[in-house]
Amino acid sequence: HLFYVFIHLSHMAFAFTKGSTRLRSFPKTASVTITAGDLLIMTSGALATALNNTTTTVVGIAVKGVASTDGDYATGGARLLVEVPADKSCVLSAPVANGSLLTTSIGVKFGLTSAGAVDFADTTDVVVTCTDFISASEGLFSLDETAQWLS
């Protein structure tokens, strides 16, 4: 998890802070930019970033990014390492956008603004539940549905 602490502090992306996780390799979607720390979903049998209005089950967190300059960027099916939750006790830290997290936000379900931020204004397309308040711009969250069978 030390790697994720670095990613979390430098990119303010999702990072597991509690619970058991495993590293797994999955095929990625061709020509999709992924940042280390992004939440990922499966679409048509390949990884893609979890974006706003996503209600698809989250697979896990990208360990490594994929840039448009990478040699395998346009290669569908190239493998990408993902940290996946191994049990329901997993908790993630994440930045909050489109509003300020409150101490009363604990227990509230939220959607995403992008792969790396919780959307305080989205309580319709929910992906995470607030489990703890850190600050107005950061909180701890559990995934509403996780593909634990992948671990």
Side-chain angles (χ1 to χ4, degrees):
H1 295 294
L2 292 177
F3 175 75
Y4 278 111
V5 170
F6 171 75
I7 293 298
H8 174 66
L9 294 175
S10 64
H11 296 290
M12 289 304 292
F14 282 87
F16 284 109
T17 60
K18 176 186 171 193
S20 179
T21 62
R22 292 191 174 97
L23 295 178
R24 295 284 311 267
S25 174
F26 297 99
K28 69 170 191 66
T29 302
S31 304
V32 172
T33 302
I34 295 173
T35 302
D38 280 353
L39 283 183
L40 301 173
I41 60 171
M42 290 295 271
T43 179
S44 301
L47 292 171
T49 53
L51 302 173
N52 59 332
N53 301 324
T54 288
T55 56
T56 305
T57 300
V58 171
V59 174
I61 300 173
V63 173
K64 178 184 171 234
V66 177
S68 60
T69 55
D70 291 352
D72 64 352
Y73 172 74
T75 306
R79 308 295 283 193
L80 185 66
L81 198 58
V82 179
E83 186 176 18
V84 299
D87 60 57
K88 291 185 183 268
S89 70
C90 287
V91 173
L92 309 132
S93 64
V96 176
N98 293 335
S100 297
L101 198 65
L102 308 167
T103 56
T104 56
S105 299
I106 295 171
V108 178
K109 297 174 182 291
F110 297 103
L112 305 173
T113 58
S114 68
V118 170
D119 187 348
F120 183 80
D122 183 1
T123 55
T124 304
D125 302 310
V126 297
V127 178
V128 298
T129 300
C130 182
T131 61
D132 206 355
F133 172 87
I134 295 175
S135 71
S137 60
E138 183 179 14
L140 296 180
F141 301 88
S142 63
L143 295 169
D144 282 353
E145 280 192 47
T146 58
Q148 293 172 17
W149 53 269
L150 296 171
S151 60

